[in-house]
Amino acid sequence: VVKNLLIINGLFYLATISFQSAFGIDLDNILGLHYFQSDLFSPYQFVTYMFLHANFSHILMNMFALWMFGYLLENVWGSKRFLTYYVVTGIGAALVQTFVNWLDISSIQTAAQAYSANPTLDGFVLFVRQHYPQYYEAEGTVKTFITQWSLAKQGPGFASQSLEYVSQLIKLQMDVPTIGASGAVYGILLAFGMMFPNMLVYVYFLFPIKAKWIVILYGALELFSGFSNNPNDNVAHFAHLGGMVFGFFLI
């Protein structure tokens, strides 16, 4: 199973590059996991997202971890049980990530409804700074619009245009796909730490650390990173934690 998963992930990675360059088809939009209110969402994405990767380093790290920790688990559990574990933790990671996105996006939609009742420049600036600081701080269309509105506060159309920007920002957030096998890989990491807690793992091939401490360290880092809420992170930390949580209960 580990060998076949490595092959399948590699084929999906090559297909992603080939379809984009040859046909202009973005497989991330088709097979990546989108928010359930997005026009791009389909239920099958809860499975297909885990076979896509953003770049070579992304797939290299995930597949290396899958091979490093997965082969021993498959030998102990058997292929069928290992595959079940891999798929369940991958889907579980997607469910947790979707739930976290729902908490975030639903609160933003509530704030957007409140703003639409009284669209003002100060209200728009506050909304963008609170929910989309990456667009407020970076040079771009939103920042240019704020500057133009501040120079002509009584200008016609700014309020209605700001409502359109709010709608576009929420849609843009919903259309960002989650991709990667990391949720299932973190589930495998947890399983390895639980099944072989005292086995030494050489971090960077140099530093020996017991598996149980690596699991605790990575779990703590993901929890901290998830709650730090860095908008420029582009890492689904709660998907990683979701894979570990579902793996724990499954074991």
Side-chain angles (χ1 to χ4, degrees), residues 117-149:
N118 183 30
T120 64
L121 173 60
D122 291 340
F124 181 72
V125 170
L126 181 63
F127 178 86
V128 175
R129 287 182 64 180
Q130 283 185 342
H131 302 292
Y132 300 99
Q134 67 272 32
Y135 295 107
Y136 178 78
E137 296 167 359
E139 295 294 334
T141 306
V142 173
K143 193 166 187 178
T144 301
F145 173 74
I146 292 174
T147 302
Q148 293 174 343
W149 196 357

Side-chain angles (χ1 to χ4, degrees), residues 33 43 77 82 98 210 248:
L33 177 64
W77 285 346
F82 176 81
T98 298
K210 289 184 178 180
F248 176 82

Side-chain angles (χ1 to χ4, degrees), residues 49-50 85-87 89-91 93 180-189 239 243:
Y49 89 98
M50 68 179 83
Y85 182 86
Y86 184 88
V87 173
T89 52
I91 295 175
S182 302
V185 168
Y186 268 77
I188 289 174
L189 176 63

Side-chain angles (χ1 to χ4, degrees), residues 7 51 62 91 100 114 130 149 154 182 193 201 227 230 241 244:
I7 293 171
F51 297 103
N62 276 342
I91 295 175
V100 171
Q130 283 185 342
W149 196 357
Q154 303 303 321
S182 302
V201 177
F227 281 106
N230 182 356
L241 291 170
M244 298 179 85

Side-chain angles (χ1 to χ4, degrees), residues 170-200:
I170 295 175
K171 184 180 184 302
L172 187 64
Q173 182 180 1
M174 291 193 296
D175 288 348
V176 174
T178 298
I179 59 174
S182 302
V185 168
Y186 268 77
I188 289 174
L189 176 63
L190 175 95
F192 188 86
M194 291 180 68
M195 299 294 293
F196 314 103
N198 295 314
M199 182 175 287
L200 293 178

